[in-house]
Amino acid sequence: MADFEFAQKDVALMEHALRLTSGFGSWPPAPMQRLLAESRVRRFARHELVGVEAGEPWTFTIISGHVIVSRTPPRGPRAPVTLLGPGSLIGLVRLLENTQDMESPEPDQRVLYDFSACLNTTVVQMPTALILQLLDEQPALWRDVAVMLMKQHRQVLDTLLGAWMGSFSQRLASTLERLAMLYGSKDGTAIKIGLRITQEDLAALLQVTRQSVNKALRKLEESGAIDISYNAISVLDLEVLRNHSNAVL
């Protein structure tokens, strides 16, 4: 009885999470229930691997927490490229490409992506093949999913451009600005970034040392742009931070 109640709670949690995403929110009850029947809630600890692009094709929606997306080129080191938060889809290539075609390139010629929990993270794990089947059965549902993916792609692109253009101090300021816009919440006059991202995480995303991040964060704090406490970052003055990043949103 306890297992049944726990399973029912997970189903309710999955539906609630999917209904809050723009891609799945308008799905009629029948396809939604078919998707929920084959999906499950997965919970991951900090730095635990959520999924990889190779292998069994799964698509994930983030319920809570954040995921670091990392990229491994055919001949090069693995490197983190962006952060995704609640409501985001991961495993997008699996969603949009024919799963049989995904296996055709030689393994050493493919760029592979993997997804790891930035902190304790809960996701809905969904079979990609079933999502594609349900979308093809009701093509009108493709529109909302496509719009959602395009918006997410724009957010990722903006974050990447901010992280790789300009000096390191500009790139750090731009990254914090984007995180505040995407994951921030008002805390009085400040914007609290709802993500306990460590200096090591920022260093990995920006491909610099933790010492460089620490020094640059202190300078931003001294300028009055941000406040750092207990590994949490709050933006105190968005205009000052924008001046540091020299970016216009």
Side-chain angles (χ1 to χ4, degrees):
M1 184 66 178
D3 289 342
F4 174 77
E5 291 178 353
F6 186 77
Q8 289 298 102
K9 287 181 180 179
D10 273 1
V11 171
L13 177 62
M14 289 190 294
E15 181 166 11
H16 179 71
L18 291 174
R19 291 297 182 194
L20 290 178
T21 67
S22 57
F24 295 92
S26 63
W27 277 35
M32 175 62 74
Q33 292 306 311
R34 287 173 60 189
L35 179 59
L36 292 174
E38 300 297 328
S39 303
R40 56 178 171 163
V41 173
R42 296 287 308 278
R43 296 171 176 86
F44 299 90
R46 180 175 173 79
H47 296 321
E48 190 176 354
L49 189 65
V50 175
V52 295
E53 199 175 66
E56 188 74 18
W58 295 103
T59 297
F60 304 88
T61 295
I62 303 173
I63 299 176
S64 63
H66 293 77
V67 166
I68 295 180
V69 181
S70 297
R71 177 181 186 272
T72 304
R75 285 172 291 277
R78 174 177 177 270
V81 292
T82 193
L83 283 168
L84 294 176
S88 300
L89 280 177
I90 52 179
L92 303 185
V93 175
R94 288 286 183 177
L95 179 60
L96 295 175
E97 292 194 23
N98 184 299
T99 55
Q100 293 180 345
D101 293 341
M102 289 289 293
E103 307 302 331
S104 58
E106 293 296 326
D108 61 350
Q109 299 300 314
R110 287 187 55 198
V111 174
L112 296 177
Y113 290 85
D114 62 72
F115 320 102
S116 56
C118 182
L119 64 168
N120 292 344
T121 298
T122 303
V123 304
V124 180
Q125 179 177 301
M126 303 171 286
T128 303
L130 178 59
I131 296 175
L132 292 170
Q133 179 185 337
L134 294 172
L135 290 172
D136 287 342
E137 288 176 0
Q138 299 194 39
L141 301 180
W142 266 110
R143 181 183 181 279
D144 287 344
V145 172
V147 170
M148 178 184 182
L149 297 184
M150 286 188 289
K151 287 181 177 179
Q152 182 172 310
H153 176 74
R154 172 63 183 271
Q155 291 177 351
V156 171
L157 182 60
D158 285 346
T159 301
L160 285 173
L161 289 175
W164 292 107
M165 296 180 66
S167 67
F168 165 62
S169 59
Q170 288 176 313
R171 293 190 290 119
L172 175 61
S174 181
T175 297
L176 294 178
E177 183 184 354
R178 291 298 305 170
L179 292 176
M181 294 297 95
L182 293 174
Y183 309 121
S185 59
K186 278 286 187 180
D187 184 13
T189 59
I191 302 174
K192 186 174 183 179
I193 298 176
L195 169 63
R196 285 192 171 274
I197 186 167
T198 66
Q199 293 184 16
E200 287 82 0
D201 294 328
L202 285 171
L205 285 172
L206 296 168
Q207 296 291 283
V208 296
T209 65
R210 188 193 65 79
Q211 291 78 8
S212 296
V213 170
N214 180 271
K215 184 177 179 180
L217 285 175
R218 294 305 171 192
K219 287 185 176 180
L220 289 173
E221 191 172 33
E222 290 169 3
S223 74
I226 65 172
D227 175 69
I228 306 170
S229 59
Y230 305 107
N231 276 336
I233 300 174
S234 295
V235 177
L236 301 181
D237 193 319
L238 189 57
E239 288 305 314
V240 173
L241 186 62
R242 283 176 174 167
N243 289 337
H244 281 285
S245 66
N246 195 28
V248 178
L249 294 181

